[in-house]
Amino acid sequence: TRIACFSDFTEVMRALGYPRLISMENFHTPNFRLVAEVLLWLARRYEPEADIPADVETEQDRVFFIKAVTDFMATKAHVQLHMRNLYQADGFAVKELLKVASVLYEAMNTKGVRRADPTEEDNTKFKFDLGSNVADLKAVRQLTSEILSKGAVLYDLLGKEVELREARAESIARPLEINEAEKVMKITINSVLEQLQKTKDMLNNVALDEASLEAKIEKRKLELERSQKRLQTLQSVRPAFMDEYEKIEEQLQKQYSSYIEKFRNLTYMEQLLEDQRRAEQEVFE
């Protein structure tokens, strides 16, 4: 049976595309490093972003690694692994490894994964053609986590059902005291009436604020109308001395034109004088 287990495991790992050849001699003696390597490879084969520590140097690191892998497989792949068998890292560990490898192998055959050519550089690795099912796979994983968490909460609540059943039966069997019930009802009614009164006061305050705002808006409208009428009046009235201002502005325009002409002539004459002086200087030299 152990030989058949070894044979199945080596064949499944070869089919999954494990980059290293595994033989029966690898597990004749405990080989924890190989077991850890295979576990980590399978976990990341199932989920590439799996957060599992790869350090197995000390005994504490190995225990932590085994716990992390078993928890991951239980929550993600729903595969229960025996931690003690895995820690032994011998033939018993192969049986546990075969559980995970079988799940991946069945998924590969179900999804119709294309098997790689052994001569390729990727060393017979397989590529799962999930295509558009990636989003569905993420949604399924999320729903699985929610179902597990809610199932745990439901399990805890059901565990308390025995005590709660007794307390519920005791409360139901207890005779109802009219006076106490009436007192509680009065307190509740008073509380509701107080809350209702507070709500009415808030509504009244809102109505007062609304009336005040409407009055302010109406006042601003009247001020705007008066300002617009004053502006129209000012625009229609011709200022005093406007005729004299226009006449003086016309004269100023004529004076400016004359100034421009004289300035241009003066500049031209100065240029001629400068040229004449330069010519005389050249003759003198």
Side-chain angles (χ1 to χ4, degrees):
T1 303
R2 183 173 298 182
I3 294 175
C5 179
F6 272 115
S7 178
D8 294 340
F9 178 67
T10 53
E11 290 297 328
V12 170
M13 293 300 293
R14 186 181 299 108
L16 289 176
Y18 185 66
R20 177 178 172 182
L21 183 61
I22 301 176
S23 63
M24 296 175 57
E25 287 76 10
N26 294 128
F27 296 98
H28 282 173
T29 58
N31 192 349
F32 191 87
R33 288 190 176 276
L34 179 59
V35 172
E37 181 182 344
V38 173
L39 279 174
L40 189 61
W41 187 86
L42 291 174
R44 290 178 178 172
R45 189 73 173 179
Y46 188 84
E47 185 173 347
E49 298 179 358
D51 186 12
I52 298 176
D55 190 8
V56 292
E57 294 296 331
T58 63
E59 180 180 354
Q60 185 177 2
D61 293 337
R62 295 180 179 183
V63 173
F64 185 75
F65 172 79
I66 294 296
K67 288 183 178 180
V69 172
T70 53
D71 292 341
F72 174 81
M73 288 302 173
T75 55
K76 299 295 183 180
H78 303 288
V79 177
Q80 299 294 333
L81 300 177
H82 198 284
M83 289 189 291
R84 184 178 299 176
N85 291 343
L86 288 174
Y87 192 81
Q88 290 179 3
D90 54 6
F92 293 98
V94 175
K95 294 181 180 180
E96 304 300 324
L97 296 175
L98 183 59
K99 295 179 182 179
V100 183
S102 299
V103 173
L104 293 174
Y105 183 74
E106 292 175 1
M108 182 183 67
N109 291 333
T110 302
K111 293 295 182 179
V113 178
R114 180 181 61 86
R115 186 167 182 173
D117 189 358
T119 59
E120 293 181 355
E121 292 181 358
D122 58 356
N123 199 4
T124 68
K125 290 184 179 180
F126 286 82
K127 299 179 181 178
F128 288 86
D129 185 14
L130 296 179
S132 60
N133 295 329
V134 174
D136 296 338
L137 182 59
K138 292 182 179 178
V140 169
R141 289 177 179 172
Q142 184 178 0
L143 291 175
T144 303
S145 301
E146 293 179 0
I147 291 172
L148 290 174
S149 60
K150 291 182 179 181
V153 173
L154 180 61
Y155 179 79
D156 294 337
L157 294 176
L158 290 176
K160 300 177 182 178
E161 176 61 20
V162 178
E163 299 177 0
L164 296 177
R165 187 187 299 115
E166 295 178 358
R168 186 168 59 250
E170 183 179 354
S171 299
I172 293 173
R174 184 184 303 170
L176 181 63
E177 296 181 1
I178 302 299
N179 295 331
E180 184 178 356
E182 184 178 358
K183 182 178 179 181
V184 173
M185 290 296 295
K186 286 182 178 180
I187 294 173
T188 306
I189 292 172
N190 292 331
S191 177
V192 173
L193 291 176
E194 291 178 359
Q195 189 67 26
L196 180 61
Q197 186 63 35
K198 290 181 180 179
T199 306
K200 288 182 178 179
D201 294 339
M202 292 175 64
L203 291 175
N204 293 331
N205 293 333
V206 170
L208 293 175
D209 294 339
E210 184 178 1
S212 177
L213 290 174
E214 289 179 354
K216 290 181 179 179
I217 292 172
E218 189 65 25
K219 183 179 178 180
R220 296 296 181 185
K221 286 182 178 179
L222 294 176
E223 292 178 357
L224 178 61
E225 291 178 0
R226 288 197 295 268
S227 299
Q228 289 178 346
K229 289 180 180 179
R230 184 178 302 174
L231 177 63
Q232 292 176 358
T233 302
L234 293 175
Q235 290 177 348
S236 61
V237 174
R238 185 177 178 82
F241 309 107
M242 192 65 186
D243 294 336
E244 185 179 0
Y245 171 78
E246 290 178 352
K247 186 181 295 183
I248 293 174
E249 186 177 9
E250 185 177 356
Q251 293 176 359
L252 179 63
Q253 185 68 30
K254 291 180 180 179
Q255 292 292 334
Y256 180 74
S257 300
S258 175
Y259 167 76
I260 291 296
E261 184 178 359
K262 290 180 180 180
F263 181 79
R264 187 184 300 113
N265 293 334
L266 179 61
T267 304
Y268 176 70
M269 293 175 67
E270 288 177 351
Q271 184 65 33
L272 291 178
L273 180 61
E274 182 67 25
D275 294 341
Q276 182 66 26
R277 288 177 179 176
R278 188 181 298 109
E280 292 177 356
Q281 183 67 25
E282 291 178 356
V283 171
F284 177 76
E285 291 178 357

